[in-house]
Amino acid sequence: MDGRCSWCGDDPLYVAYHDTEWGVPEYDSRALWEKLILDGFQAGLSWITILRKRDNFRAAFEGFDPEVIARWGEPEVARLLADPGIVRHRGKIEATIGNARAYLDIEASEGFSDYLWNRVGGTPIQNGFASMAEVPAETPLSRQISKDLKKAGFRFCGPTIVYAWMQACGMVNDHMIGCPRHAEVAAMAKPI
C-alpha cells in the first residue's frame, strides 16, 4: 500500500495491523476493554512488543474475559508473573484484575462501549494530519477520559495511553491524510 502511515515501518506484523485493524471503529465493549488493557501493558515498551505477544496475552488472560479475571487473586498473579509469553509486570497484572472489576461496574450501569463512545458523540473524530509530527501524544479529551476511568477504578490508563487506545479502536482517525486507510477508516464510521 503506497502512502501508508510511516509508524508501522515494514515489519509484516505491524503492516498487517496498520492495514486491517488500527483505527477501525470498535464498538464491542469487551474488545474495547481488551485493547485498553493491552495499551496499558504497552506503557514503557513499543507497541510491536505487545503485538508479538498478543496471542500469548489472550491465552494467559482467558481471552480477556472480565468476569473471569475479576475473580482472580494472588495465585493467578503468580502464574502470570512466571509466564514468559507476556509482559511480566506485577503492577500491570494487578491493575488488569482491578480494571476487570471496574469494567464490570461500568458495563452493568451503562455499557462500557456507550460510556466511551458517548465522549465523541458516538462518531469517530476525523483528524487530517499530514505528518506524524502533527499527531499529539494526548488531548484534552484523552485527559478527561483518563481522569474518568481512574475515578471509576481503572489503573494504567493515563492520558497518553488513552489517546493511543483511542487511535487503535477508531475513536479518532489518526491515519495520515495521505494514507489510503484514512479514507477507508473514515467510511467505516457510524453513529451509535
Side-chain angles (χ1 to χ4, degrees):
M1 173 185 303
D2 291 333
R4 172 185 290 121
C5 299
S6 62
W7 58 259
C8 67
D10 58 7
D11 182 290
L13 183 62
Y14 229 179
V15 168
Y17 174 71
H18 170 275
D19 290 357
T20 63
E21 191 175 339
W22 190 76
V24 173
E26 177 61 69
Y27 298 98
D28 178 76
S29 287
R30 200 230 35 95
L32 287 165
W33 183 74
E34 174 184 332
K35 289 179 182 221
L36 183 60
I37 297 304
L38 289 173
D39 267 305
F41 269 97
Q42 186 259 328
L45 304 168
S46 66
W47 180 244
I48 192 67
T49 299
I50 302 303
L51 272 184
R52 289 183 179 134
K53 294 177 177 278
R54 184 164 60 172
D55 288 340
N56 296 332
F57 270 105
R58 287 176 172 157
F61 282 90
E62 306 281 335
F64 284 101
D65 183 337
E67 291 186 13
V68 171
I69 295 169
R71 296 189 302 264
W72 285 359
E74 188 52 39
E76 291 81 9
V77 172
R79 173 182 60 82
L80 292 167
L81 286 171
D83 187 338
I86 66 167
V87 173
R88 295 177 287 180
H89 184 288
R90 177 177 284 276
K92 293 176 182 181
I93 292 167
E94 289 175 346
T96 300
I97 296 168
N99 291 352
R101 295 172 186 147
Y103 165 89
L104 291 173
D105 289 342
I106 294 170
E107 182 67 10
S109 67
E110 62 186 291
F112 193 65
S113 181
D114 288 345
Y115 172 81
L116 295 162
W117 277 99
N118 286 339
R119 311 306 175 96
V120 293
T123 304
I125 297 166
Q126 301 297 322
N127 289 323
F129 300 126
S131 74
M132 291 300 298
E134 297 174 51
V135 180
E138 61 182 63
T139 64
L141 181 58
S142 76
R143 287 191 286 276
Q144 185 60 55
I145 293 173
S146 171
K147 181 179 175 183
D148 293 344
L149 286 169
K150 288 176 182 178
K151 186 176 179 183
F154 277 80
R155 293 178 17 220
F156 281 93
C157 60
T160 301
I161 289 170
V162 168
Y163 193 71
W165 168 82
M166 291 171 68
Q167 293 170 310
C169 68
M171 289 181 76
V172 296
N173 181 357
D174 274 357
H175 281 281
M176 298 298 100
I177 198 74
C179 174
R181 286 296 286 167
H182 187 277
E184 293 169 4
V185 167
M188 295 176 191
K190 61 178 185 179
I192 57 169

